[in-house]
Structures are given as structure tokens and as C-alpha cells.
Amino acid sequence: MVFNRLLGRRNTAPTSASTVQNICSWSGLGILLCALQGPWLTAEDKPWPPTTGVPMTTWGKEISLDKPVLPEYPRPQMVRKEWLNLNGPWDYAITARDADAPSAYAGKILVPFPVESVLSQVNKRIDGSKRLWYARSFEIPKAWQGEKILLNFGAVDWDATVTVNGQKVGTHRGGYDGFSFDITPALKPTGPQDIVVSVWDGVRGGFPHGKQELSTGYITYTPSIGIWQTVWLEPVPAAHIKSLAMFSDIDKNLLNLTVQTGSAAVDGQTFEAVVLDQGREVGHASGTPGQPLAIPIPHAKLWWPETPFLYDLKITLSQHGKPVDAVGSYFGMRKISLGPDTTGVTRMLLNNQFIFQNGLLDQGFWPDGIYTAPSDEALRFDIEATRRLGYNMLRKHVKVEPDRWYYWADKLGMLVWQDMPSAGEIAWGDYFSFHVPKDGFLPDPWTNFETELRNMVKGRLNHPCIVMWINFNEGWGLRVIDKTDTEPAHPAPEVKGIVKRMMDAVRDEDPSRLINPEGGRGGGQPGEGMFDFTFGDVLDYHAYAGEIPKADAHRAAVLGEYGWAHLYHSAWKFIGMANQATLSGIVNTQLTDVENEENGALKYDRSEKTYGVDAQDKTTLDESGRSMVDEAHKNGFLNYPGRDPKTMAAVGGQ
């Protein structure tokens, strides 16, 4: 059957909710379907990009140089009315890494799409020996005269230097966090203003880059060097709101808010915060910048996946009693914690209740935009599709998305496990290890990693959808000592200290969420326990076949990856795991196909996928499907209203 007919676009009438619920469930029945469907990732990788051309998404087909690109305000939790979007055509050039600024440019690039993408209109790969240059002109609106002008970047990968009218205004290192420069001193009184951005990214430079690799294949994909999120200008007064930190306390019906300002001196500065429920004021308090403020929220409405209620928040900054700046924001009243269930098993609790978190692995790649989704509608589609497939959680895998992706997750009620993008390179003989350039460009990679880790947490801190941080995926970037005839592979002596250091750094930035200090136990085989240092909030295995973790007195148990071809051979172990293995959450690999991988619930271009196998294998699959369902039924996993094991076997086998 074509299972993804459930995923109709927003403008298409989807299959009824009851039909979806009869096919998928949060408690794990989606595992059964995934065990029975295909195609699966084969042993031999397919080449990327394909010789027939990169597949285009529906949204990507609408992109052109003469149309607005990602026109939505990019920072939905700190919105200002006045702003100027700089997305669109820029001039570009590619030079040697150490070359001076070019005197002439090679053509146009469509910002913010990565230079490697077809949507950028360039579609060229570059490596660490090259530097990428961007240039364009803009004019400051007359109404902004007398204000400070901030130049904002959603993200640039990796080392960016920015000049305005030939004057350097700042540099930034880090591929996943936003940054701003006050460009006011560099501006001319009137007329066109010239901006130049130069970017270097070695990909294998010892810094976080996730699954980007120069040599792609198997589980690594095309890199995204340079600007890959929205660029914009906004005017602000000398005293202005710089950042917000929000922590909800549902047990006391409070929002704890800290407002930071962009001026060193806060004498005479106060702020007023107004909480709104669909336009009606329900909370009001005043405070001092830099100091936490507790705002009472009487009879607070909680944020749940099925009812993701969001409060609006208006913040006004005053200087000596005069309003000078204002931003709009939102928040959700939600709590994530650990605690025992009714049987005493340690569980992940949402709002003090155990809700099984059934998720998909989400790489966040696009065939036409690579790291950059072609539109805001496309970002929303992925989350809506996940919900329609019967899942309530996404694990954002070694990538950080633009703020608007998390906005849609907040608004649509999608739980998120957020990975830190991994550092290091793939070296299958030696596992994953840091590759530090011989020229000493990054002499202390762990200090840089901690900086980028903290920036990720601070940058996405206020989104209620995020319930867990995952610092390392399977030990990528951590040094492993290879196995010998006398001992198994094991972490190097310094690894435990590094993992603990990063966990403490995240806890320092965010004491409100769960921390998975090392997801997947470093890829250790069942029974080895590699990288299980017993600290953190969860015990996480990545088991495509084999052992399942069990909760202990202070850690919940999760299966951070499972599924597909390996699951087919041992699916019965996982069908009943929610009851048998005391798990709090599971993550199926994965939401979409990606480049050479074909193990997604959706195709890479987000089109529907026909599940099943070739006709000659159909009989075997049907028999296996019935066998697995019979096993699940015997274990009691499918014994609840609305589930017919025979029907499910038929669905899985067609």
C-alpha cells in the first residue's frame, strides 16, 4: 500500500485522524510497520549526486532569483517590527584560502542557500583550501536614522569575517549559532552601503560539522559551507533588548524570565513583561535587566504534544522611565523531569506524567537546499508529516535548525531531542576521532567544542519543544583505543573527563532539561558498555539488533536509534519493548531518505513512498509480518482497543 497517502500536503485533505491512529501509535506500533516496509539501505551505496540530476522538492521548484527567499521573520521568540531581509541574490567568488578580497566576482548566489546546493544557483563544492566570498549593497531606510543598526546572521559555517564599506565589523566562528554585529560606525551617512562576507570552512577542521563530509557516502552527506540561514538588518536604540532566557515552573505556576540588554551600563533601565492568552492579559510584572523575574501565571495552561498551548509575551525596555525598545515573544508552560512510574521504574516525565516518546531520526537535509530548507512551509511539512505518521517526537540528528523549525515544533506539539553536531572525521579503522590541521588553526578543539555547545543551548533555550540535549552521538569525536586480542575497544583515558565537562557545561546553561551526555554508548557492541560512565539522565543504546537498555535508579532508558533492515530480522524484540525493557523513548531511523540512503519514511524530496518489496519477495514478507504480529499479540503489546493484529499484518504486507 502507499502508506504515505496519510501525509497529504497542507492544502490536500488528509486521511482522517482515526485512520492514522489505527495504523500508528505513540506506544510503538509504528515500529511494526517500519519492520515490514522498505526499501532499505543496501550494502552498496548509490552515488550522489545522481547522474540524472538532484531531485527537487515541491517548494524548491518555486525558488528563483527574482522571488523573495525565506521572507519570514527569522527569530520568532524575539520579534521586532522594523527589519530588513537581506536574503536574495548576492555576488560570490571562490579564491584560495589566504587570498585577498577579489576584485571581480564570479556570478550570483542565492542567499541563504549553501554554495553546494542547486538552489544557490551555484552548485559547486569547495574544500578547506578555498575561501568563499559574498558581496552586496543595501540602503538604510530613512526612518532608521539615529538608531544603531545590527547586522544579524542566522548561521554561517564556519569561520566568517564581515566588512562594511571596507571596514571590518567582526568575525565569528561556529556553524550553528546566530550572531550579530553593530555596523553603525562603518555606515556612510547616505547612499548604498557595501557588505562583504568571507567564509572559510575546512569541514574536517576539528570543529563541529555533523554529517557534513567532503567525501560523502554511507552515512555522511554533502557539506554546506558559508551562509545557510537568513541574513537581516534591524534598527535598535543604544539601550536595547539583547536576549531572553525563560524557564517555566509548572509546579508553582511561574515563568522565570531574565532579560539581557545590549548596553554595558543598566543604570536607570527597567523592563515590563506582559503575558497574554489569545490577546487577554493573564500576567504582568516589572524587573531589572540581568536579574531573574518570576511572573505568576494563574491556572497555567500546560504545553502538551496534543494541546501545545503557547502564551504570548510582550517585553518593553525603559530608560529612566521612558520606553526605548520592545520585542514580542512566546513561551510554553512545560516541565521535563525524571521520576518513577506507578511500578517504580525511572521514566522521562512530561509535566510530571509519563508519556512514551516515540520518535523518528531527523537528519534535516534537503536534496535541493542541503542544510537549508527551501521554504518555511517545507519546515512545517516535516513536522506535520511526523505527526501524521503517528510519532510525537523527532531526534534532530547532529544538526541545529533555524529558529523557525523549532517554532513550528512548539506550535504543532512536537517533542525534540536535540543533538550537538559532532566533531571529528570518519575513520572506520579508528572509529571517529578529531582531525586537527597541522597548521594549528584550532589548537584546542575541546574549548571550541564547549563554546559551540554552550551557544547551541543558549540559542535554542526558550523552545518548549526541546526536552533533551544529546552532547555526543556514539562518541563521535571522542578517541577510542582499538580492540586487541586481549581487550575490547574502549575509550581513551581522557574521554570520561571530556564527557563530564560537556555535561556540566550544558547543565550550567540549562538546568531545566534532561541531558544525554553520550548517546548510543559510543557505538559499543551489546554488553560492552562503551562510554557508559553512569552519569547523566538517560541510558541510551543504539540497537539495530540485539540488547535493549534497562532503566536504573537515576536514569531513564531510551533506544536512541533502531529500525529498518536490521529490525526486520529481530523485530519481535522491539515490538514489545515499551513494556518489557522499561523504555521511556525510542527513535526510528529515519524521517526521510538522504542522498545515498533509502531508509526514510519519506523520499528525499518529501514525496510519498510505496512500502513493501518486489513481487518475488512478497510471500516471504507476508509470512514474516504475520509471524511478528503473532509474537507481539502473544506478548500482549497489541491487546488494546482499535488494534486488530490480523489487519495490521495485512497492512504491513502490502
Side-chain angles (χ1 to χ4, degrees):
M1 63 178 261
V2 180
F3 185 54
N4 281 2
R5 285 174 183 160
L6 296 171
L7 299 173
R9 311 273 175 180
R10 288 178 60 209
N11 295 329
T12 302
T15 302
S16 68
S18 61
T19 302
V20 176
Q21 291 171 358
N22 283 337
I23 296 177
C24 301
S25 81
W26 288 4
S27 56
L29 192 54
I31 301 170
L32 172 61
L33 293 174
C34 294
L36 301 173
Q37 65 201 18
W40 305 309
L41 180 64
T42 58
E44 182 178 353
D45 293 338
K46 294 187 177 181
W48 187 268
T51 56
T52 54
V54 173
M56 297 288 288
T57 63
T58 300
W59 310 278
K61 292 175 182 177
E62 300 175 357
I63 298 291
S64 66
L65 288 170
D66 59 352
K67 293 182 179 180
V69 180
L70 295 171
E72 297 81 11
Y73 189 82
R75 194 179 54 204
Q77 284 192 304
M78 205 174 86
V79 178
R80 287 192 170 91
K81 293 181 179 180
E82 294 291 329
W83 70 295
L84 180 63
N85 194 334
L86 295 184
N87 291 344
W90 292 47
D91 296 322
Y92 87 95
I94 299 171
T95 69
R97 171 181 169 180
D98 298 323
D100 294 332
S103 56
Y105 287 82
K108 295 293 184 181
I109 184 170
L110 194 58
V111 169
F113 298 109
V115 65
E116 297 89 348
S117 70
V118 294
L119 292 182
S120 72
Q121 317 297 312
V122 179
N123 194 20
K124 292 182 180 178
R125 289 201 185 194
I126 61 177
D127 58 26
S129 68
K130 305 295 183 182
R131 183 172 293 275
L132 177 60
W133 299 82
Y134 300 82
R136 67 159 291 168
S137 296
F138 61 90
E139 293 195 22
I140 301 296
K142 292 182 180 179
W144 295 7
Q145 296 298 322
E147 302 270 48
K148 285 182 175 290
I149 306 301
L150 300 183
L151 174 61
N152 304 296
F153 294 84
V156 181
D157 199 3
W158 179 77
D159 181 2
T161 300
V162 182
T163 64
V164 174
N165 296 322
Q167 181 176 329
K168 181 179 175 180
V169 296
T171 60
H172 179 268
R173 288 180 175 177
Y176 299 93
D177 56 300
F179 57 97
S180 300
F181 299 128
D182 178 2
I183 65 172
T184 313
L187 295 175
K188 296 181 289 188
T190 60
Q193 316 284 342
D194 298 321
I195 177 174
V196 175
V197 181
S198 74
V199 184
W200 176 83
D201 183 357
V203 182
R204 292 183 174 183
F207 42 80
H209 57 81
K211 285 200 170 183
Q212 302 179 76
E213 280 289 342
L214 297 174
S215 300
T216 59
Y218 188 45
I219 61 169
T220 62
Y221 320 125
T222 304
S224 292
I225 292 173
I227 299 171
W228 68 276
Q229 291 186 29
T230 291
V231 185
W232 79 102
L233 295 166
E234 60 186 349
V236 297
H240 60 274
I241 297 167
K242 185 177 181 180
S243 66
L244 309 174
M246 296 181 273
F247 296 95
S248 61
D249 185 340
I250 69 167
D251 299 317
K252 297 180 180 179
N253 285 328
L254 296 174
L255 173 69
N256 295 301
L257 170 68
T258 302
V259 176
Q260 301 288 356
T261 63
S263 53
V266 296
D267 293 344
Q269 291 183 9
T270 59
F271 70 88
E272 181 181 52
V274 178
V275 178
L276 302 170
D277 176 349
Q278 299 180 351
R280 180 175 60 90
E281 182 177 316
V282 294
H284 193 145
S286 298
T288 302
Q291 301 297 320
L293 173 68
I295 307 174
I297 314 291
H299 312 292
K301 298 179 181 179
L302 302 187
W303 186 95
W304 296 94
E306 283 302 308
T307 54
F309 185 83
L310 298 173
Y311 287 95
D312 291 321
L313 179 65
K314 292 185 178 180
I315 302 170
T316 302
L317 178 68
S318 296
Q319 183 90 42
H320 300 297
K322 180 182 178 181
V324 292
D325 192 21
V327 298
S329 187
Y330 70 85
F331 64 93
M333 293 293 290
R334 163 315 261 119
K335 176 183 177 181
I336 186 73
S337 60
L338 292 181
D341 64 10
T342 55
T343 65
V345 175
T346 302
R347 299 285 195 179
M348 297 168 62
L349 304 180
L350 182 68
N351 299 332
N352 298 321
Q353 295 184 29
F354 171 55
I355 291 181
F356 192 78
Q357 298 186 30
N358 183 18
L360 285 168
L361 194 71
D362 181 7
Q363 310 281 2
F365 277 71
W366 300 82
D368 41 14
I370 309 179
Y371 250 24
T372 308
S375 71
D376 195 57
E377 180 78 8
L379 290 176
R380 175 172 180 163
F381 175 82
D382 273 7
I383 296 168
E384 289 181 326
T386 303
R387 292 302 304 264
R388 292 184 184 128
L389 281 167
Y391 296 90
N392 66 349
M393 179 263 287
L394 283 168
R395 178 185 164 205
K396 182 55 65 174
H397 191 33
V398 292
K399 183 198 176 190
V400 183
E401 291 289 359
D403 252 326
R404 290 198 62 86
W405 185 89
Y406 301 93
Y407 162 75
W408 285 118
D410 292 339
K411 193 173 181 66
L412 298 173
M414 182 60 62
L415 299 169
V416 175
W417 297 2
Q418 178 62 56
D419 286 14
M420 173 63 186
S422 54
E425 65 172 313
I426 296 178
W428 291 111
D430 301 320
Y431 201 56
F432 282 66
S433 60
F434 267 131
H435 172 79
V436 181
K438 294 181 180 179
D439 61 7
F441 176 77
L442 198 64
D444 186 359
W446 287 121
T447 295
N448 177 78
F449 186 90
E450 181 179 343
T451 297
E452 292 200 48
L453 175 64
R454 286 178 178 268
N455 287 343
M456 177 191 73
V457 174
K458 288 185 289 188
R460 302 296 179 261
L461 180 69
N462 298 324
H463 291 284
C465 64
I466 299 175
V467 294
M468 181 162 65
W469 304 108
I470 302 175
N471 295 353
F472 292 96
N473 175 67
E474 299 178 356
W476 294 0
L478 297 169
R479 192 163 66 92
V480 175
I481 298 175
D482 288 343
K483 65 181 179 180
T484 65
D485 293 337
T486 58
E487 62 179 2
H490 58 281
E494 74 274 10
V495 166
K496 181 176 181 179
I498 292 170
V499 174
K500 180 66 163 55
R501 169 185 169 184
M502 300 309 163
M503 184 186 74
D504 291 344
V506 173
R507 192 81 74 192
D508 178 55
E509 299 292 345
D510 179 12
S512 71
R513 289 182 175 87
L514 303 181
I515 300 175
N516 185 343
E518 200 293 306
R521 301 190 311 159
Q525 296 300 312
E528 288 184 2
M530 188 186 293
F531 292 178
D532 181 10
F533 300 122
T534 72
F535 47 71
D537 297 317
V538 299
L539 176 60
D540 178 5
Y541 288 13
H542 294 177
Y544 288 84
E547 187 180 357
I548 297 171
K550 293 184 178 181
D552 57 30
H554 64 280
R555 292 184 298 177
V558 301
L559 198 61
E561 291 182 24
Y562 78 91
W564 301 99
H566 295 79
L567 181 63
Y568 173 73
H569 296 293
S570 56
W572 67 270
K573 295 181 181 180
F574 299 98
I575 294 174
M577 62 189 169
N579 295 329
Q580 293 180 0
T582 70
L583 291 172
S584 287
I586 54 177
V587 180
N588 189 357
T589 305
Q590 58 189 342
L591 175 58
T592 72
D593 296 345
V594 185
E595 298 198 355
N596 56 283
E597 295 180 15
E598 293 186 339
N599 55 345
L602 303 174
K603 292 182 180 179
Y604 197 13
D605 64 2
R606 273 57 174 181
S607 61
E608 65 184 24
K609 178 182 282 190
T610 302
Y611 291 114
V613 295
D614 294 337
Q616 60 266 32
D617 297 324
K618 184 175 184 300
T619 302
T620 301
L621 183 63
D622 283 346
E623 292 174 355
S624 178
R626 281 189 289 271
S627 174
M628 286 184 287
V629 171
D630 289 344
E631 186 69 39
H633 186 62
K634 184 172 65 177
N635 292 335
F637 188 72
L638 299 181
N639 293 341
Y640 52 93
R643 300 295 188 268
D644 182 346
K646 295 180 180 179
T647 301
M648 296 313 301
V651 169
Q654 293 180 0

